[in-house]
Amino acid sequence: MNLLELTIKELHSGLKKKDFSSTELTKAYLSDIKKNDKNIGAYLKVSEELALSQAKIADEKISSQENITYLTGIPCAIKDNILVEGQNCTAASKILENYVAPYDATVIKKLKENGAVILGKVNLDEFAMGGSGENSAFGVTKNPHDKTRVAGGSSSGAAAAVASKEACYALGSDTGGSIRLPASFCGVVGLKPTYGAVSRSGLIAFGSSLDQIGPIAKTVDDAKIIFKVISGKDKLDSTSKNYEFSDLDINIKDIKIGIPKEYFVKGIDPEVEKIIKETIKKVESYGAEIKEISLPNTEFALACYYIIAPAEASSNLARFDGIKYGLSENQKDLLDVYLKSRGRGFGSEVKRRIMLGTYSLSSGYYDAYYKKAEEVRNLIRQDFENVFKEVDLIFCPVSPFPAYKIGEKLDDPLLMYLVDIYTVSVNLAGLPGLSLPVGKIGSQGKEGGLPVGLQIIGNHFQENKILSVASFIEKMLQ
Amino acid sequence: MISKEEVKHIAKLARLELGTSSSRASTDKEIDKMQKNLSAVLDYFDLLKKADISKKKPSFTRATEEQARKDEVTSLNHDMAEKIIKLLPDKKDDYIKVKTIL
């Protein structure tokens, strides 16, 4: 039995039956990371000492049978923009290279209460800005399915770690697709929860009206287990909501699925389109009602997002000033400390977004850009409100194409931003969305090929509906 | 197309040094690149002019509605303060040290 192949549920049952201990399991993961991660580059830092001490505590809990949950003793990886007390938290930026987190993010507190084992911190696009993972200041994470290709971003290390079996699950964050996109490229399950479902306290802020933390896992069931643990109201995040997840076992025959016509237009890879459409057809053959729908303001979503997210980022990243923490360039006067610390600490994509955000918030341009984008955001929200009066869920691709070659889009920001075309609307509307692997391009049998993810979008706080249907499709495709 | 002067102005507002001040060439290069990149993205934003917002009253994302909390004193552990102070790049005792501005 290869422990690294097992899901949370399977490991939980093995731990309870004493087939193996959490320490054995943790050591298996640690030695696999040591052996294989040099080829993938998922981890920025492995926290071996922390992991082994948590495994030991978990083993004690398991033998005394107190407070055991599904996550007790199960090793995970954490995106390096989420604070774990006493561990480095870099956001993959030079400006935070030596920053040590003074406290735990709320999601980490919750994982620890459940006896989780934290293997380490994983790579991302700097400050979660990017769709490929190439914007990390500390190297590109490679796609485990083809090491010449990107893992997708910004939660590049989180998705690659789970896909390459260097962690049983991971936590990522999603501002415009940063969980769903790498999950799709790496062939794992990624859930971006409803805005407000999971506390953002301890997540390094990028776009505060868009950011959400969520799970990346091997199976839908595993993603559900993690989501149930991390969700809920937190007094440290005023936008978090009292949210009790209620399990749902849906009959697929009772489900109406909307297919937005605006998502199947020029620009989509025909192979991606084929896989998504075949999956939809198969779901229909099991009795689900499939209906073409329209989200008429879809074409504006990307422009809207790339005004709002950088605007919020330019404000959020003002805190990196060389004074309070992080990289500090010693200069004669205060202005130079700011200019040099930020000029040298931030990478080019982060600078570009701070510039964009500063521009659209600056005097004379505010009305034409930021205000306009907020108005269009309302239209996009309205589109979804209308559609969810008629359907339960929306099915569409996560990305118009599979994982692309490293370096392919790096020199053209606009081309890079187009990767997010199917994912940003969900964040603008605050909706939950899940990426489910439904096929591979160019595979011979089960081996090889590039994964394709189906995006399942639900109405606010209907993660249960999404997860139930995703679980059905997962079984259907087996 | 956004001008080089505008790029410099925005960089100043954003407190970002472009290039390195020691090398004029690297500064010019970064400003050029920023000008080109920003212009392409800002041109793309023109798409929003087509959006019909006439039917909808402008309303902003209500991030703070119903979420105000009571102004109350809560206790934090002293360890946390120490950890945060430890992260200060420059300090005197437990205070942040900054350059004189006057």
Side-chain angles (χ1 to χ4, degrees), chain A residues 95-164:
Chain A
I95 212 161
L96 286 177
E97 192 167 7
N98 299 310
Y99 179 77
V100 179
Y103 59 92
D104 279 328
T106 298
V107 290
I108 299 300
K109 257 184 241 158
K110 290 184 170 186
L111 288 189
K112 284 183 175 173
E113 281 160 17
N114 278 266
V117 172
I118 296 170
L119 295 167
K121 304 297 291 291
V122 281
N123 207 0
L124 63 150
D125 285 293
E126 185 177 356
F127 286 105
M129 296 177 188
S132 67
E134 292 164 291
N135 297 322
S136 167
F138 308 118
V140 187
T141 299
K142 296 173 188 79
N143 192 312
H145 297 272
D146 178 347
K147 295 184 188 71
T148 65
R149 292 174 189 270
V150 301
S154 70
S155 307
S156 51
V162 175
S164 61

Side-chain angles (χ1 to χ4, degrees), chain A residues 64-344:
Chain A
S64 65
Q65 299 199 335
E66 52 157 339
N67 297 325
I68 312 170
T69 72
Y70 276 124
L71 295 185
T72 308
I74 314 286
C76 65
I78 307 294
K79 186 176 183 180
D80 205 22
N81 60 350
I82 299 172
L83 305 190
V84 177
E85 189 184 336
Q87 303 294 317
N88 283 81
C89 195
T90 67
S93 179
K94 285 231 182 307
I95 212 161
L96 286 177
E97 192 167 7
N98 299 310
Y99 179 77
V100 179
Y103 59 92
D104 279 328
T106 298
V107 290
I108 299 300
K109 257 184 241 158
K110 290 184 170 186
L111 288 189
K112 284 183 175 173
E113 281 160 17
N114 278 266
V117 172
I118 296 170
L119 295 167
K121 304 297 291 291
V122 281
N123 207 0
L124 63 150
D125 285 293
E126 185 177 356
F127 286 105
M129 296 177 188
S132 67
E134 292 164 291
N135 297 322
S136 167
F138 308 118
V140 187
T141 299
K142 296 173 188 79
N143 192 312
H145 297 272
D146 178 347
K147 295 184 188 71
T148 65
R149 292 174 189 270
V150 301
S154 70
S155 307
S156 51
V162 175
S164 61
K165 301 182 179 65
E166 293 178 12
C168 184
Y169 69 94
L171 291 188
S173 67
D174 191 315
T175 306
S178 284
I179 287 174
R180 289 159 287 157
L181 193 72
S184 170
F185 281 8
C186 291
V188 290
V189 177
L191 173 68
K192 181 264 167 202
T194 309
Y195 184 77
V198 179
S199 167
R200 291 176 293 116
S201 173
L203 169 70
I204 294 176
F206 163 13
S208 302
S209 76
L210 305 154
D211 296 341
Q212 262 305 276
I213 295 173
I216 292 178
K218 290 173 182 170
T219 65
V220 175
D221 237 9
D222 281 3
K224 183 164 92 178
I225 290 168
I226 304 151
F227 176 66
K228 278 163 110 169
V229 166
I230 61 173
S231 54
K233 178 78 187 163
D234 174 19
K235 69 177 192 317
L236 296 176
D237 175 1
S238 67
T239 61
S240 65
K241 295 279 195 302
N242 256 325
Y243 173 34
E244 280 284 325
F245 181 90
S246 59
D247 260 306
L248 207 56
D249 191 11
I250 278 178
N251 185 342
I252 197 72
K253 292 192 175 75
D254 300 332
I255 289 287
K256 254 192 222 169
I257 296 160
I259 314 297
K261 61 174 186 210
E262 291 83 2
Y263 282 56
F264 294 90
V265 289
K266 209 179 127 238
I268 184 170
D269 183 316
E271 292 285 320
V272 171
E273 186 171 0
K274 193 172 145 234
I275 289 172
I276 298 294
K277 287 200 163 155
E278 276 172 2
T279 310
I280 292 169
K281 219 173 241 164
K282 215 164 171 192
V283 175
E284 189 176 24
S285 75
Y286 278 89
E289 188 184 331
I290 306 289
K291 195 178 167 186
E292 188 185 83
I293 52 159
S294 174
L295 297 163
N297 291 290
T298 296
E299 65 167 320
F300 307 123
L302 200 69
C304 179
Y305 174 82
Y306 274 99
I307 292 172
I308 290 171
E312 293 184 11
S314 71
S315 160
N316 272 326
L317 270 60
R319 74 192 68 187
F320 303 102
D321 56 2
I323 305 290
K324 296 187 283 290
Y325 44 75
L327 179 83
S328 182
E329 292 283 336
N330 198 7
Q331 298 292 324
K332 278 202 194 78
D333 67 64
L334 188 63
L335 182 63
D336 277 338
V337 176
Y338 294 153
L339 291 171
K340 302 252 189 251
S341 301
R342 292 164 65 78
R344 287 174 196 176

